[in-house]
Amino acid sequence: LTTMVQLIDLFLNKSNIKTIPPSIGKLINIRMLDLAINQIQDLPTKISNLKKLQVLNLAQNPITEINKKKIKALFSQRMIIDFGQYGQH
């Protein structure tokens, strides 16, 4: 991921991803990150380095309510976060 610093939109939906590496925080130009329909339960705190991120799609991932609150706190009110419903299609 560290060689892709110029990325603006990244679509990794339906990729069977279970964890996101802390190096995601080096994608400083990302504005849209689609991680929907994976097996992600939490995000690394380094994701808060993505200051240009406007949309984070985490729909249909098994994220607990505690982790949803943590993720929202990392980004404050500056973006749209979609948690969707786990198990819905």
Side-chain angles (χ1 to χ4, degrees), residues 10-64:
L10 183 58
F11 297 88
L12 295 171
N13 56 322
K14 298 181 184 178
S15 298
N16 202 29
I17 297 171
K18 295 181 182 177
T19 59
I20 302 296
S23 59
I24 191 84
K26 294 183 179 183
L27 300 177
I28 57 172
N29 291 306
I30 286 284
R31 292 191 179 145
M32 198 287 195
L33 180 56
D34 188 347
L35 298 169
I37 313 171
N38 282 293
Q39 297 302 312
I40 300 166
Q41 295 182 18
D42 197 6
L43 295 176
T45 55
K46 294 280 185 187
I47 200 163
S48 65
N49 293 345
L50 307 179
K51 304 298 183 197
K52 295 182 181 180
L53 190 62
Q54 297 171 356
V55 177
L56 175 60
N57 187 357
L58 293 167
Q60 296 186 39
N61 279 286
I63 300 173
T64 65

Side-chain angles (χ1 to χ4, degrees), residues 63-80:
I63 300 173
T64 65
E65 286 302 314
I66 291 170
N67 287 338
K68 286 179 186 178
K69 288 178 184 176
K70 180 185 111 181
I71 292 165
K72 286 179 184 177
L74 286 174
F75 292 103
S76 187
Q77 300 294 325
R78 66 181 165 92
M79 60 177 285
I80 298 168

